[in-house]
mmCIF file of all heavy atoms in Angstrom:
data_model
loop_
_atom_site.group_PDB
_atom_site.id
_atom_site.type_symbol
_atom_site.label_atom_id
_atom_site.label_comp_id
_atom_site.label_asym_id
_atom_site.label_seq_id
_atom_site.Cartn_x
_atom_site.Cartn_y
_atom_site.Cartn_z
ATOM 1 N N ALA R 93 -57.464 -10.898 -42.389
ATOM 2 C CA ALA R 93 -58.648 -11.479 -41.783
ATOM 3 C C ALA R 93 -59.334 -10.567 -40.764
ATOM 4 O O ALA R 93 -60.547 -10.506 -40.753
ATOM 5 C CB ALA R 93 -58.313 -12.803 -41.119
ATOM 6 N N THR R 94 -58.527 -9.917 -39.960
ATOM 7 C CA THR R 94 -59.083 -9.047 -38.905
ATOM 8 C C THR R 94 -59.834 -7.799 -39.594
ATOM 9 O O THR R 94 -60.934 -7.423 -39.083
ATOM 10 C CB THR R 94 -58.150 -8.587 -37.858
ATOM 11 O OG1 THR R 94 -57.026 -8.046 -38.516
ATOM 12 C CG2 THR R 94 -57.570 -9.712 -36.994
ATOM 13 N N ALA R 95 -59.410 -7.404 -40.746
ATOM 14 C CA ALA R 95 -60.066 -6.374 -41.533
ATOM 15 C C ALA R 95 -61.525 -6.717 -41.837
ATOM 16 O O ALA R 95 -62.373 -5.911 -41.720
ATOM 17 C CB ALA R 95 -59.292 -5.982 -42.702
ATOM 18 N N VAL R 96 -61.713 -8.025 -42.152
ATOM 19 C CA VAL R 96 -63.101 -8.508 -42.552
ATOM 20 C C VAL R 96 -64.026 -8.237 -41.366
ATOM 21 O O VAL R 96 -65.173 -7.897 -41.604
ATOM 22 C CB VAL R 96 -62.930 -9.945 -42.983
ATOM 23 C CG1 VAL R 96 -64.324 -10.541 -43.088
ATOM 24 C CG2 VAL R 96 -62.065 -10.161 -44.230
ATOM 25 N N PHE R 97 -63.527 -8.486 -40.178
ATOM 26 C CA PHE R 97 -64.361 -8.309 -38.957
ATOM 27 C C PHE R 97 -64.476 -6.780 -38.582
ATOM 28 O O PHE R 97 -65.550 -6.317 -38.101
ATOM 29 C CB PHE R 97 -63.957 -9.148 -37.845
ATOM 30 C CG PHE R 97 -63.947 -10.583 -38.213
ATOM 31 C CD1 PHE R 97 -62.869 -11.256 -38.673
ATOM 32 C CD2 PHE R 97 -65.224 -11.334 -38.061
ATOM 33 C CE1 PHE R 97 -62.963 -12.661 -39.016
ATOM 34 C CE2 PHE R 97 -65.284 -12.624 -38.364
ATOM 35 C CZ PHE R 97 -64.182 -13.292 -38.816
ATOM 36 N N LEU R 98 -63.355 -6.123 -38.748
ATOM 37 C CA LEU R 98 -63.339 -4.648 -38.236
ATOM 38 C C LEU R 98 -64.220 -3.790 -39.259
ATOM 39 O O LEU R 98 -64.573 -2.730 -38.842
ATOM 40 C CB LEU R 98 -61.959 -4.119 -38.184
ATOM 41 C CG LEU R 98 -61.112 -4.828 -37.102
ATOM 42 C CD1 LEU R 98 -59.591 -4.496 -37.224
ATOM 43 C CD2 LEU R 98 -61.636 -4.497 -35.797
ATOM 44 N N ALA R 99 -64.588 -4.341 -40.368
ATOM 45 C CA ALA R 99 -65.438 -3.608 -41.302
ATOM 46 C C ALA R 99 -66.950 -3.760 -40.857
ATOM 47 O O ALA R 99 -67.790 -3.189 -41.516
ATOM 48 C CB ALA R 99 -65.277 -4.080 -42.757
ATOM 49 N N LEU R 100 -67.152 -4.502 -39.766
ATOM 50 C CA LEU R 100 -68.552 -4.654 -39.278
ATOM 51 C C LEU R 100 -68.734 -3.610 -38.151
ATOM 52 O O LEU R 100 -67.860 -2.758 -38.012
ATOM 53 C CB LEU R 100 -68.699 -6.093 -38.641
ATOM 54 C CG LEU R 100 -68.516 -7.237 -39.610
ATOM 55 C CD1 LEU R 100 -68.567 -8.624 -38.889
ATOM 56 C CD2 LEU R 100 -69.479 -7.201 -40.790
ATOM 57 N N LYS R 101 -69.895 -3.721 -37.428
ATOM 58 C CA LYS R 101 -70.059 -2.728 -36.385
ATOM 59 C C LYS R 101 -70.195 -3.490 -35.040
ATOM 60 O O LYS R 101 -70.821 -4.586 -35.029
ATOM 61 C CB LYS R 101 -71.357 -2.002 -36.631
ATOM 62 C CG LYS R 101 -71.421 -1.065 -37.773
ATOM 63 C CD LYS R 101 -72.649 -0.152 -37.767
ATOM 64 C CE LYS R 101 -72.887 0.517 -39.020
ATOM 65 N NZ LYS R 101 -73.273 -0.304 -40.175
ATOM 66 N N PRO R 102 -69.826 -2.927 -33.944
ATOM 67 C CA PRO R 102 -70.017 -3.498 -32.629
ATOM 68 C C PRO R 102 -71.546 -3.796 -32.416
ATOM 69 O O PRO R 102 -72.419 -3.092 -32.934
ATOM 70 C CB PRO R 102 -69.598 -2.416 -31.643
ATOM 71 C CG PRO R 102 -68.569 -1.591 -32.378
ATOM 72 C CD PRO R 102 -69.094 -1.620 -33.834
ATOM 73 N N GLY R 103 -71.799 -5.078 -31.946
ATOM 74 C CA GLY R 103 -73.202 -5.469 -31.752
ATOM 75 C C GLY R 103 -73.591 -6.499 -32.885
ATOM 76 O O GLY R 103 -74.454 -7.253 -32.704
ATOM 77 N N ASP R 104 -72.836 -6.486 -34.042
ATOM 78 C CA ASP R 104 -73.176 -7.390 -35.087
ATOM 79 C C ASP R 104 -72.901 -8.828 -34.676
ATOM 80 O O ASP R 104 -71.893 -9.050 -33.959
ATOM 81 C CB ASP R 104 -72.344 -7.098 -36.359
ATOM 82 C CG ASP R 104 -72.758 -5.831 -37.067
ATOM 83 O OD1 ASP R 104 -73.847 -5.364 -36.802
ATOM 84 O OD2 ASP R 104 -72.040 -5.440 -37.981
ATOM 85 N N HIS R 105 -73.756 -9.752 -35.125
ATOM 86 C CA HIS R 105 -73.540 -11.149 -34.791
ATOM 87 C C HIS R 105 -72.805 -11.836 -35.906
ATOM 88 O O HIS R 105 -73.005 -11.604 -37.178
ATOM 89 C CB HIS R 105 -75.016 -11.836 -34.710
ATOM 90 C CG HIS R 105 -74.971 -13.314 -34.476
ATOM 91 N ND1 HIS R 105 -75.527 -14.223 -35.292
ATOM 92 C CD2 HIS R 105 -74.450 -13.987 -33.441
ATOM 93 C CE1 HIS R 105 -75.328 -15.442 -34.859
ATOM 94 N NE2 HIS R 105 -74.641 -15.352 -33.601
ATOM 95 N N VAL R 106 -71.828 -12.634 -35.522
ATOM 96 C CA VAL R 106 -70.875 -13.268 -36.432
ATOM 97 C C VAL R 106 -70.807 -14.766 -36.073
ATOM 98 O O VAL R 106 -70.710 -15.127 -34.911
ATOM 99 C CB VAL R 106 -69.445 -12.574 -36.211
ATOM 100 C CG1 VAL R 106 -68.378 -13.479 -36.861
ATOM 101 C CG2 VAL R 106 -69.403 -11.179 -36.736
ATOM 102 N N LEU R 107 -70.835 -15.536 -37.110
ATOM 103 C CA LEU R 107 -70.633 -17.024 -36.914
ATOM 104 C C LEU R 107 -69.291 -17.439 -37.409
ATOM 105 O O LEU R 107 -68.852 -17.013 -38.513
ATOM 106 C CB LEU R 107 -71.759 -17.747 -37.658
ATOM 107 C CG LEU R 107 -73.145 -17.642 -37.122
ATOM 108 C CD1 LEU R 107 -74.167 -18.219 -38.037
ATOM 109 C CD2 LEU R 107 -73.241 -18.298 -35.718
ATOM 110 N N ALA R 108 -68.574 -18.265 -36.682
ATOM 111 C CA ALA R 108 -67.297 -18.729 -36.990
ATOM 112 C C ALA R 108 -67.180 -20.266 -36.663
ATOM 113 O O ALA R 108 -67.929 -20.687 -35.746
ATOM 114 C CB ALA R 108 -66.183 -17.966 -36.271
ATOM 115 N N PRO R 109 -66.248 -20.997 -37.302
ATOM 116 C CA PRO R 109 -66.213 -22.433 -37.037
ATOM 117 C C PRO R 109 -65.409 -22.694 -35.776
ATOM 118 O O PRO R 109 -64.539 -21.935 -35.335
ATOM 119 C CB PRO R 109 -65.431 -22.997 -38.179
ATOM 120 C CG PRO R 109 -64.925 -21.793 -38.952
ATOM 121 C CD PRO R 109 -65.376 -20.566 -38.387
ATOM 122 N N ARG R 110 -65.687 -23.852 -35.150
ATOM 123 C CA ARG R 110 -64.989 -24.252 -33.931
ATOM 124 C C ARG R 110 -63.553 -24.774 -34.441
ATOM 125 O O ARG R 110 -62.605 -24.635 -33.682
ATOM 126 C CB ARG R 110 -65.744 -25.479 -33.259
ATOM 127 C CG ARG R 110 -66.890 -25.037 -32.630
ATOM 128 C CD ARG R 110 -67.345 -26.009 -31.490
ATOM 129 N NE ARG R 110 -68.661 -25.560 -30.989
ATOM 130 C CZ ARG R 110 -69.783 -26.151 -31.074
ATOM 131 N NH1 ARG R 110 -69.794 -27.367 -31.677
ATOM 132 N NH2 ARG R 110 -70.897 -25.695 -30.682
ATOM 133 N N VAL R 111 -63.446 -25.301 -35.633
ATOM 134 C CA VAL R 111 -62.195 -25.696 -36.169
ATOM 135 C C VAL R 111 -61.729 -24.628 -37.164
ATOM 136 O O VAL R 111 -62.326 -24.584 -38.220
ATOM 137 C CB VAL R 111 -62.328 -27.099 -36.841
ATOM 138 C CG1 VAL R 111 -60.866 -27.543 -37.399
ATOM 139 C CG2 VAL R 111 -62.781 -28.142 -35.858
ATOM 140 N N MET R 112 -60.761 -23.910 -36.775
ATOM 141 C CA MET R 112 -60.205 -22.850 -37.676
ATOM 142 C C MET R 112 -58.809 -22.518 -37.207
ATOM 143 O O MET R 112 -58.355 -22.934 -36.210
ATOM 144 C CB MET R 112 -61.116 -21.647 -37.626
ATOM 145 C CG MET R 112 -61.185 -20.954 -36.268
ATOM 146 S SD MET R 112 -62.270 -19.532 -36.226
ATOM 147 C CE MET R 112 -61.406 -18.324 -37.232
ATOM 148 N N TYR R 113 -58.169 -21.596 -38.047
ATOM 149 C CA TYR R 113 -56.857 -21.190 -37.701
ATOM 150 C C TYR R 113 -56.832 -20.542 -36.283
ATOM 151 O O TYR R 113 -57.558 -19.601 -36.036
ATOM 152 C CB TYR R 113 -56.355 -20.188 -38.752
ATOM 153 C CG TYR R 113 -55.007 -19.538 -38.397
ATOM 154 C CD1 TYR R 113 -53.943 -20.404 -38.288
ATOM 155 C CD2 TYR R 113 -54.877 -18.193 -38.199
ATOM 156 C CE1 TYR R 113 -52.709 -19.898 -37.789
ATOM 157 C CE2 TYR R 113 -53.665 -17.747 -37.826
ATOM 158 C CZ TYR R 113 -52.590 -18.536 -37.612
ATOM 159 O OH TYR R 113 -51.429 -17.995 -37.249
ATOM 160 N N TRP R 114 -56.014 -21.115 -35.388
ATOM 161 C CA TRP R 114 -56.174 -20.880 -34.010
ATOM 162 C C TRP R 114 -55.897 -19.413 -33.532
ATOM 163 O O TRP R 114 -56.584 -18.912 -32.678
ATOM 164 C CB TRP R 114 -55.187 -21.838 -33.220
ATOM 165 C CG TRP R 114 -53.746 -21.352 -33.376
ATOM 166 C CD1 TRP R 114 -53.000 -21.399 -34.510
ATOM 167 C CD2 TRP R 114 -52.923 -20.769 -32.375
ATOM 168 N NE1 TRP R 114 -51.748 -20.923 -34.293
ATOM 169 C CE2 TRP R 114 -51.631 -20.634 -32.933
ATOM 170 C CE3 TRP R 114 -53.068 -20.613 -31.010
ATOM 171 C CZ2 TRP R 114 -50.522 -20.060 -32.241
ATOM 172 C CZ3 TRP R 114 -51.989 -20.123 -30.318
ATOM 173 C CH2 TRP R 114 -50.770 -19.753 -30.888
ATOM 174 N N SER R 115 -55.064 -18.738 -34.207
ATOM 175 C CA SER R 115 -54.748 -17.328 -33.805
ATOM 176 C C SER R 115 -55.931 -16.451 -34.110
ATOM 177 O O SER R 115 -56.288 -15.558 -33.302
ATOM 178 C CB SER R 115 -53.455 -16.875 -34.588
ATOM 179 O OG SER R 115 -52.935 -15.801 -33.914
ATOM 180 N N LEU R 116 -56.641 -16.696 -35.251
ATOM 181 C CA LEU R 116 -57.784 -15.953 -35.530
ATOM 182 C C LEU R 116 -58.936 -16.272 -34.557
ATOM 183 O O LEU R 116 -59.679 -15.455 -34.109
ATOM 184 C CB LEU R 116 -58.174 -16.113 -37.003
ATOM 185 C CG LEU R 116 -59.316 -15.194 -37.508
ATOM 186 C CD1 LEU R 116 -59.033 -13.808 -37.360
ATOM 187 C CD2 LEU R 116 -59.778 -15.555 -38.892
ATOM 188 N N ARG R 117 -58.989 -17.559 -34.214
ATOM 189 C CA ARG R 117 -60.055 -18.006 -33.333
ATOM 190 C C ARG R 117 -59.815 -17.285 -31.959
ATOM 191 O O ARG R 117 -60.779 -16.801 -31.317
ATOM 192 C CB ARG R 117 -59.977 -19.563 -33.117
ATOM 193 C CG ARG R 117 -61.147 -20.089 -32.270
ATOM 194 C CD ARG R 117 -61.063 -21.604 -32.070
ATOM 195 N NE ARG R 117 -59.906 -21.974 -31.203
ATOM 196 C CZ ARG R 117 -58.975 -22.745 -31.543
ATOM 197 N NH1 ARG R 117 -59.024 -23.397 -32.681
ATOM 198 N NH2 ARG R 117 -57.945 -23.050 -30.761
ATOM 199 N N ASN R 118 -58.593 -17.197 -31.527
ATOM 200 C CA ASN R 118 -58.312 -16.456 -30.307
ATOM 201 C C ASN R 118 -58.638 -15.058 -30.312
ATOM 202 O O ASN R 118 -59.161 -14.423 -29.362
ATOM 203 C CB ASN R 118 -56.782 -16.640 -29.863
ATOM 204 C CG ASN R 118 -56.559 -18.040 -29.371
ATOM 205 O OD1 ASN R 118 -57.503 -18.827 -29.119
ATOM 206 N ND2 ASN R 118 -55.254 -18.406 -29.273
ATOM 207 N N TRP R 119 -58.296 -14.433 -31.464
ATOM 208 C CA TRP R 119 -58.623 -12.988 -31.695
ATOM 209 C C TRP R 119 -60.099 -12.761 -31.650
ATOM 210 O O TRP R 119 -60.638 -11.857 -30.984
ATOM 211 C CB TRP R 119 -58.078 -12.471 -33.013
ATOM 212 C CG TRP R 119 -58.262 -11.026 -33.233
ATOM 213 C CD1 TRP R 119 -57.465 -10.018 -32.714
ATOM 214 C CD2 TRP R 119 -59.374 -10.458 -33.927
ATOM 215 N NE1 TRP R 119 -58.019 -8.763 -33.090
ATOM 216 C CE2 TRP R 119 -59.146 -9.007 -33.841
ATOM 217 C CE3 TRP R 119 -60.427 -10.872 -34.632
ATOM 218 C CZ2 TRP R 119 -60.018 -8.149 -34.511
ATOM 219 C CZ3 TRP R 119 -61.271 -9.923 -35.300
ATOM 220 C CH2 TRP R 119 -61.057 -8.617 -35.171
ATOM 221 N N LEU R 120 -60.924 -13.653 -32.242
ATOM 222 C CA LEU R 120 -62.320 -13.516 -32.286
ATOM 223 C C LEU R 120 -62.918 -13.744 -30.839
ATOM 224 O O LEU R 120 -63.779 -12.954 -30.447
ATOM 225 C CB LEU R 120 -62.967 -14.589 -33.203
ATOM 226 C CG LEU R 120 -62.807 -14.280 -34.634
ATOM 227 C CD1 LEU R 120 -63.320 -15.512 -35.553
ATOM 228 C CD2 LEU R 120 -63.582 -13.015 -35.149
ATOM 229 N N ALA R 121 -62.354 -14.679 -30.149
ATOM 230 C CA ALA R 121 -62.863 -15.028 -28.846
ATOM 231 C C ALA R 121 -62.563 -13.903 -27.847
ATOM 232 O O ALA R 121 -63.287 -13.695 -26.797
ATOM 233 C CB ALA R 121 -62.357 -16.332 -28.328
ATOM 234 N N ASN R 122 -61.502 -13.151 -28.033
ATOM 235 C CA ASN R 122 -61.066 -12.162 -27.065
ATOM 236 C C ASN R 122 -61.229 -10.746 -27.595
ATOM 237 O O ASN R 122 -62.106 -10.063 -27.225
ATOM 238 C CB ASN R 122 -59.662 -12.494 -26.650
ATOM 239 C CG ASN R 122 -59.500 -13.851 -25.973
ATOM 240 O OD1 ASN R 122 -60.165 -14.047 -24.883
ATOM 241 N ND2 ASN R 122 -58.896 -14.807 -26.613
ATOM 242 N N ALA R 123 -60.323 -10.305 -28.433
ATOM 243 C CA ALA R 123 -60.361 -8.908 -28.862
ATOM 244 C C ALA R 123 -61.590 -8.611 -29.601
ATOM 245 O O ALA R 123 -62.276 -7.469 -29.336
ATOM 246 C CB ALA R 123 -59.157 -8.685 -29.862
ATOM 247 N N ALA R 124 -62.111 -9.404 -30.551
ATOM 248 C CA ALA R 124 -63.306 -9.055 -31.278
ATOM 249 C C ALA R 124 -64.523 -8.936 -30.360
ATOM 250 O O ALA R 124 -65.363 -7.986 -30.487
ATOM 251 C CB ALA R 124 -63.524 -10.054 -32.356
ATOM 252 N N ARG R 125 -64.592 -9.950 -29.456
ATOM 253 C CA ARG R 125 -65.747 -9.826 -28.417
ATOM 254 C C ARG R 125 -65.599 -8.610 -27.631
ATOM 255 O O ARG R 125 -66.566 -7.832 -27.328
ATOM 256 C CB ARG R 125 -65.788 -11.086 -27.613
ATOM 257 C CG ARG R 125 -66.497 -12.226 -28.333
ATOM 258 C CD ARG R 125 -66.575 -13.470 -27.345
ATOM 259 N NE ARG R 125 -67.305 -14.516 -27.980
ATOM 260 C CZ ARG R 125 -67.052 -15.810 -27.750
ATOM 261 N NH1 ARG R 125 -66.077 -16.185 -26.907
ATOM 262 N NH2 ARG R 125 -67.706 -16.767 -28.382
ATOM 263 N N GLY R 126 -64.369 -8.296 -27.204
ATOM 264 C CA GLY R 126 -64.094 -7.020 -26.392
ATOM 265 C C GLY R 126 -64.521 -5.827 -27.070
ATOM 266 O O GLY R 126 -64.972 -4.905 -26.508
ATOM 267 N N TRP R 127 -64.383 -5.844 -28.438
ATOM 268 C CA TRP R 127 -64.703 -4.674 -29.283
ATOM 269 C C TRP R 127 -66.222 -4.576 -29.444
ATOM 270 O O TRP R 127 -66.729 -3.552 -29.737
ATOM 271 C CB TRP R 127 -64.001 -4.755 -30.645
ATOM 272 C CG TRP R 127 -64.254 -3.720 -31.543
ATOM 273 C CD1 TRP R 127 -64.012 -2.362 -31.396
ATOM 274 C CD2 TRP R 127 -64.817 -3.784 -32.915
ATOM 275 N NE1 TRP R 127 -64.421 -1.646 -32.492
ATOM 276 C CE2 TRP R 127 -64.884 -2.444 -33.437
ATOM 277 C CE3 TRP R 127 -65.296 -4.912 -33.641
ATOM 278 C CZ2 TRP R 127 -65.314 -2.227 -34.712
ATOM 279 C CZ3 TRP R 127 -65.708 -4.626 -34.912
ATOM 280 C CH2 TRP R 127 -65.767 -3.363 -35.438
ATOM 281 N N GLY R 128 -66.932 -5.712 -29.203
ATOM 282 C CA GLY R 128 -68.342 -5.668 -29.255
ATOM 283 C C GLY R 128 -69.041 -6.588 -30.210
ATOM 284 O O GLY R 128 -70.344 -6.626 -30.321
ATOM 285 N N LEU R 129 -68.253 -7.318 -30.979
ATOM 286 C CA LEU R 129 -68.877 -8.312 -31.942
ATOM 287 C C LEU R 129 -69.477 -9.434 -31.156
ATOM 288 O O LEU R 129 -68.899 -9.920 -30.108
ATOM 289 C CB LEU R 129 -67.827 -8.862 -32.914
ATOM 290 C CG LEU R 129 -67.411 -7.909 -34.079
ATOM 291 C CD1 LEU R 129 -66.523 -8.678 -35.014
ATOM 292 C CD2 LEU R 129 -68.639 -7.315 -34.807
ATOM 293 N N ASP R 130 -70.710 -9.869 -31.549
ATOM 294 C CA ASP R 130 -71.247 -11.033 -30.903
ATOM 295 C C ASP R 130 -70.790 -12.293 -31.645
ATOM 296 O O ASP R 130 -71.498 -12.705 -32.641
ATOM 297 C CB ASP R 130 -72.779 -10.806 -30.986
ATOM 298 C CG ASP R 130 -73.575 -11.943 -30.356
ATOM 299 O OD1 ASP R 130 -72.975 -12.825 -29.781
ATOM 300 O OD2 ASP R 130 -74.879 -11.889 -30.504
ATOM 301 N N VAL R 131 -69.652 -12.859 -31.266
ATOM 302 C CA VAL R 131 -69.098 -13.966 -31.958
ATOM 303 C C VAL R 131 -69.579 -15.337 -31.419
ATOM 304 O O VAL R 131 -69.520 -15.539 -30.207
ATOM 305 C CB VAL R 131 -67.555 -13.943 -31.890
ATOM 306 C CG1 VAL R 131 -66.932 -15.033 -32.650
ATOM 307 C CG2 VAL R 131 -67.037 -12.574 -32.284
ATOM 308 N N GLU R 132 -70.048 -16.185 -32.328
ATOM 309 C CA GLU R 132 -70.576 -17.467 -31.879
ATOM 310 C C GLU R 132 -69.831 -18.572 -32.733
ATOM 311 O O GLU R 132 -69.708 -18.467 -33.957
ATOM 312 C CB GLU R 132 -72.089 -17.633 -32.221
ATOM 313 C CG GLU R 132 -72.736 -18.784 -31.575
ATOM 314 C CD GLU R 132 -74.315 -18.799 -32.020
ATOM 315 O OE1 GLU R 132 -74.787 -17.682 -32.315
ATOM 316 O OE2 GLU R 132 -74.895 -19.909 -31.917
ATOM 317 N N PHE R 133 -69.221 -19.497 -32.058
ATOM 318 C CA PHE R 133 -68.446 -20.608 -32.727
ATOM 319 C C PHE R 133 -69.402 -21.845 -32.817
ATOM 320 O O PHE R 133 -70.018 -22.223 -31.848
ATOM 321 C CB PHE R 133 -67.249 -21.020 -31.908
ATOM 322 C CG PHE R 133 -66.189 -19.878 -31.843
ATOM 323 C CD1 PHE R 133 -66.212 -19.050 -30.809
ATOM 324 C CD2 PHE R 133 -65.318 -19.783 -32.930
ATOM 325 C CE1 PHE R 133 -65.283 -18.058 -30.703
ATOM 326 C CE2 PHE R 133 -64.394 -18.709 -32.839
ATOM 327 C CZ PHE R 133 -64.288 -17.831 -31.740
ATOM 328 N N ILE R 134 -69.531 -22.350 -34.049
ATOM 329 C CA ILE R 134 -70.452 -23.448 -34.267
ATOM 330 C C ILE R 134 -69.713 -24.566 -35.137
ATOM 331 O O ILE R 134 -68.641 -24.433 -35.621
ATOM 332 C CB ILE R 134 -71.651 -23.064 -35.151
ATOM 333 C CG1 ILE R 134 -71.344 -22.515 -36.493
ATOM 334 C CG2 ILE R 134 -72.511 -22.034 -34.256
ATOM 335 C CD1 ILE R 134 -72.498 -22.415 -37.389
ATOM 336 N N ALA R 135 -70.391 -25.746 -35.243
ATOM 337 C CA ALA R 135 -69.843 -26.864 -36.000
ATOM 338 C C ALA R 135 -70.231 -26.524 -37.465
ATOM 339 O O ALA R 135 -71.212 -26.930 -38.091
ATOM 340 C CB ALA R 135 -70.506 -28.210 -35.582
ATOM 341 N N MET R 136 -69.347 -25.635 -38.062
ATOM 342 C CA MET R 136 -69.642 -25.024 -39.428
ATOM 343 C C MET R 136 -69.731 -26.103 -40.494
ATOM 344 O O MET R 136 -70.452 -25.841 -41.556
ATOM 345 C CB MET R 136 -68.536 -24.111 -39.729
ATOM 346 C CG MET R 136 -68.812 -23.151 -40.835
ATOM 347 S SD MET R 136 -70.160 -22.015 -40.510
ATOM 348 C CE MET R 136 -69.448 -20.784 -39.521
#
Side-chain angles (χ1 to χ4, degrees):
T94 52
V96 170
F97 296 96
L98 294 170
L100 303 174
K101 293 193 192 70
D104 286 349
H105 179 240
V106 166
L107 290 170
R110 290 204 184 113
V111 178
M112 65 180 289
Y113 174 60
W114 72 294
S115 198
L116 185 61
R117 188 181 69 234
N118 286 348
W119 183 83
L120 287 170
N122 298 296
R125 278 182 178 150
W127 180 58
L129 286 185
D130 179 4
V131 181
E132 189 180 341
F133 294 96
I134 62 163
M136 194 62 83

